[in-house]
Amino acid sequence: MNDVLSRLREMQAGDVPVTGGRTLAYVYDSGLEDADRIGREAVAAYAGSNGLDPTAFPSLLTMENEVVGVAADLLDAPDTAAGTVTSGGTESVLLAVQAARDSRPDIAHPRMVLPVTAHSAFHKAAHYFGVEAVRVGIGEDYRALPDAMAEAIDDRTVLVVASAPSYAHGVVDPVTEIAGAAAARGIRCHVDACIGGWVLPYSARLGRAVPPWTFAVDGVTSMSVDLHKYGYAPKGTSVLLHRTAALRRPQYFASARWHGYTMLNSTMQSTKSGGPLAGAWAVLSSIGDDGYLELTRKVLDGVDRLVAGISAIPALRVVVTPDSTLVTFATDGSCDVFTITDAMTRAGWWVQPQLSFEGGEPTIHLSLSAATADHVEEFLGALGEAVGDAVESGPISVDPGIVEFVGSLDAASLTDEDFDGLLAAVGMAGDGGVGLPESMAEINALLNLAAPELREAMLTAFLDRLQRPTRSRGMWTPSAG
Ligand SMILES: Cc1ncc(COP(=O)(O)O)c(C=O)c1O
């Protein structure tokens, strides 16, 4: 038994750390050891419980209603509001789109209007549910353009989307105008507050300027907020809220058309572990309202110092003043964000490169956690050194022949053999087949030149080759003790 757990811990040591504040994407760290421990214990206690049936597991229903209630309070939801705990931001977005589509069975080819900065989860929803995504450009401040969005609404539109804030730039869209335009046409408006929804209410309470973004805005019909982000809960929970129970109704799925139990689901999963919900309930209870206020004070103070520190590094520029906890920066061209990213990884900091898109420059994204706020100066020291080295080595130069070759590739016509060759050519595969590359800078620089369709295809081919079964009973040798 101990042997199994020590093997697990050994494997996990190769992952990025989820505590300690040095991972600035994917994980959100309160820095509160007690809350983390209570969350983990709650997940373990409910790992085998099944959220499929609230009559068999009434404690899960109690927890869900309490968690949704807290979210409704934070998001200024009216008393009519109803919601669901989902498995994460993507599921909340998927269900918001699915509910909007199914609320309009009269529309054969439904569409949704969204800013180009909306999260990719909406494109996944478009793909899954056959809802056409009508993408609308943004302003120089990286916020959605409400007039252009209003113009894009037509008789087939079932949903209009705004972000609070957007992931890539960290700014809140003009929700009042967007929701107003949707309401004027009787169309649903979803505010995606997956990443900001647990920060912005406290930011406002701390006296910071927060643009309108909640159900207090007329016309907002649904909102998503993730507990596994700034609720600092274990992975696996988000809340999807609707202004009324009637708006939520099409989200439900029921089937009595077989010999077994009547299947009745509010989410995409049917059997679902009670662990994440219990973990979220426990962390929310443990941190409490005052606790989140303090965590928000701490993280936003860290954001201020981070923004000032990055702005003071001559080769760097903060792309836009953030409305919340997400900081995005670019270089002045004297060095590459991809070189900086690798140098930061070597120094023990996990930052996330964002490839250039539709004429925009490549950037680095930082999701700041409360636990990172204590280490901002240390982070800035490491960043200063990484940038110094990157300036010295200069921007990554990609062979012009390769630039031309990549530009000429049509993702749709490439075969599996072509992908094998491409992955090898760009360093994503070696003699031993595809593996995790030591360094990403050159690979990212190349992907940066590729069209989005080619990026998608290459990374999909890469993942496909990574996800191959380990045969010969690898995990059963040596035999578990
Ligand atoms: C604004 C926004 N929406 C949706 C999502 C998707 O959330 P998840 O990764 O939990 O599925 C994210 C994730 O970062 C996000 O920032």
Side-chain angles (χ1 to χ4, degrees), residues 52 98 102 248-258 260-270:
L52 165 59
Q98 173 264 320
D102 291 346
R248 181 179 62 177
R249 193 92 76 244
Q251 179 194 316
Y252 283 166
F253 176 81
S255 173
R257 299 170 199 204
W258 69 313
Y261 56 90
T262 299
M263 193 159 129
L264 189 54
N265 300 149
S266 58
T267 60
M268 310 217 15
Q269 286 176 300
S270 188

Side-chain angles (χ1 to χ4, degrees), residues 398-409 449:
V398 182
D399 184 279
I402 296 187
V403 177
E404 203 188 317
F405 174 64
V406 169
S408 71
L409 291 175
L449 296 169

